Amino acid sequence: MNEKEKDILKQMSDALPKLDKEKQSYILGVAEGMAMVRESETRDKEKQAV
């Protein structure tokens, strides 16, 4: 993990407790969705390389 990623996580960990549960759930959903897209893209690239 690089320094920029560490800074982002630090900012998120500071901000998240200040949000209500609905907004926390929304942010978690967005992050999980983005991770799923990235994983799908990675799998697609690996399949094309074969």
Side-chain angles (χ1 to χ4, degrees):
M1 186 178 318
N2 64 35
E3 285 303 313
K4 185 174 182 177
E5 292 169 331
K6 289 178 184 179
D7 290 341
I8 291 170
L9 287 174
K10 172 73 171 112
Q11 291 173 6
M12 293 293 293
S13 68
D14 291 343
L16 205 58
K18 298 173 186 172
L19 300 174
D20 61 41
K21 295 295 180 192
E22 184 176 306
K23 289 189 172 114
Q24 289 177 355
S25 295
Y26 174 79
I27 290 173
L28 178 60
V30 169
E32 288 176 338
M34 293 173 81
M36 287 173 39
V37 168
R38 177 65 69 178
E39 289 172 7
S40 176
E41 289 172 348
T42 301
R43 280 192 300 261
D44 290 346
K45 286 180 184 178
E46 289 172 357
K47 286 181 184 177
Q48 290 175 355
V50 173

